[in-house]
Amino acid sequence: MRSPLRDLFDFERPETPGERLFFWLFELFVVLALSGHAWSWAVYLGRMEAPLYPTGLARYLDVSLLMEPGVALGVAAVVTVLLLLGLTHRWPLAYLLALLGLHLLYVSRFSLGKTPHGTHLLGLTLLSLALGSLLFRTPLHRRRAAMGFTFFFVGLSYTLAALSKLVATGPGWADGMHLTLWILEKGTDMMARTGAWTPNPVQQLLLAHPELSTVLLAGALLLELLAFTVWWRPFRLPVLLALVGMHAGIYAAMQISFHFAAIELLLLALPWSRWLDRLLQVQWAARIGRPLLRLAQWCNA
């Protein structure tokens, strides 16, 4: 198998207008999504009194300051400005500083004992954008590096997730009874919150047939183990779409949403650049696309 470096970065390949426009729209999605998370975490922090179970950076820094009135909102405002500044590529450090601010908000918001990971893929993508801005100066190299690092981290993170499961539990992680337990735990949470819980059709099927759960868990584990294959272009479409399907299955079975991760995987999987190139050749679409393309070129000048 050939080295993945060419498929990840491919600096020599000419760039099309559709690629430039897609990159800017993808980058805009990441910036807006993370800005929204920053404000959401900041608003929640305003209702907290103290961290109960510090995690990550919060184990070494006192994050209780962010729970003072208005402090977290100020951090969210600074993060938003840095993200927008990073979008213009006028200051190479902007994305990296925004990432640090977001991480500070994240570890403060989730210092209550339960740490979700639905935004980790967005965070790794922001790290990829930061690396592209810091390591490269020409717009083409910056864009190719950012996308290459993004695919690298997508593959690495899902494969490491599978290895972590195997290290912690072994192949027995795929036992269907585990999924039965997780579904019932989510049902208990729902009953505590609303006073009632009725399993949906997917949950009813899995509860009635643990052997089907075993097949699904084994398939998901194998898919995560093979996620590193997105480093090679031919495998990206099937693997990324399969990961989207896995997240849809997680939501159907356990009501755990990874919608931002699923949206990003769809953006990375489908040939949006080629579709945009074709669309830009259509007269009515070109009237809209050309101003956006000029804006994208200004941001990446």
Side-chain angles (χ1 to χ4, degrees), residues 30 49 60 92 133 139 162 168 172-173 184 189 202 209 217 235 237 242 258 278 280 294:
V30 174
E49 295 182 357
Y60 309 101
S133 294
W173 181 89
L184 294 176
D189 291 342
V202 172
H209 301 283
L217 288 180
F235 298 106
L237 179 62
F258 290 87
R278 293 174 186 172
L280 289 171
R294 284 195 293 269

Side-chain angles (χ1 to χ4, degrees), residues 9 11-12 132 136-147:
F9 300 104
F11 291 123
E12 292 79 18
F136 297 90
R137 288 293 174 263
T138 64
L140 171 61
H141 288 173
R142 192 167 58 228
R143 289 190 288 266
R144 288 282 164 81
M147 294 305 294

Side-chain angles (χ1 to χ4, degrees), residues 152-164:
F152 172 78
F153 284 128
V154 168
L156 181 67
S157 59
Y158 280 99
T159 296
L160 288 180
L163 293 175
S164 297

Side-chain angles (χ1 to χ4, degrees), residues 25-92:
L25 292 172
F26 177 73
E27 191 176 12
L28 182 63
F29 161 74
V30 174
V31 165
L32 293 178
L34 287 174
S35 296
H37 280 90
W39 287 101
S40 173
W41 297 336
V43 170
Y44 192 93
L45 278 167
R47 301 196 296 265
M48 290 176 60
E49 295 182 357
L52 299 180
Y53 188 79
T55 59
L57 188 65
R59 290 184 296 173
Y60 309 101
L61 295 176
D62 182 8
V63 297
S64 58
L65 177 63
L66 273 77
M67 297 161 197
E68 297 293 330
V71 174
L73 293 174
V75 174
V78 171
V79 165
T80 300
V81 171
L82 287 169
L83 287 170
L84 293 174
L85 187 59
L87 187 63
T88 68
H89 294 281
R90 295 304 189 269
W91 189 30

Side-chain angles (χ1 to χ4, degrees), residues 165-285:
K165 294 179 179 72
L166 291 175
V167 169
T169 313
W173 181 89
D175 186 343
M177 292 307 296
H178 291 160
L179 185 53
T180 297
L181 176 63
W182 299 332
I183 292 173
L184 294 176
E185 284 181 341
K186 295 300 292 185
T188 301
D189 291 342
M190 184 62 68
M191 288 186 66
R193 190 180 306 121
T194 65
W197 175 62
T198 301
N200 63 38
V202 172
Q203 291 171 330
Q204 292 176 15
L205 179 65
L206 295 175
L207 290 173
H209 301 283
E211 65 279 6
L212 178 58
S213 297
T214 299
V215 172
L216 292 177
L217 288 180
L221 185 63
L222 180 61
L223 174 61
E224 286 190 327
L225 277 172
L226 296 175
F228 73 93
T229 58
V230 301
W231 297 347
W232 289 270
R233 189 176 290 111
F235 298 106
R236 285 176 189 167
L237 179 62
V239 172
L240 292 174
L241 289 182
L243 289 171
V244 172
M246 183 187 73
H247 284 305
I250 292 172
Y251 182 75
M254 293 182 288
Q255 305 298 297
I256 300 175
S257 175
F258 290 87
H259 50 282
F260 281 101
I263 292 171
E264 179 171 346
L265 291 173
L266 281 174
L267 289 174
L268 293 172
L270 299 177
W272 299 101
S273 299
R274 290 206 302 270
W275 294 345
L276 287 170
D277 278 322
R278 293 174 186 172
L279 198 58
L280 289 171
Q281 295 175 1
V282 180
Q283 186 174 5
W284 66 266

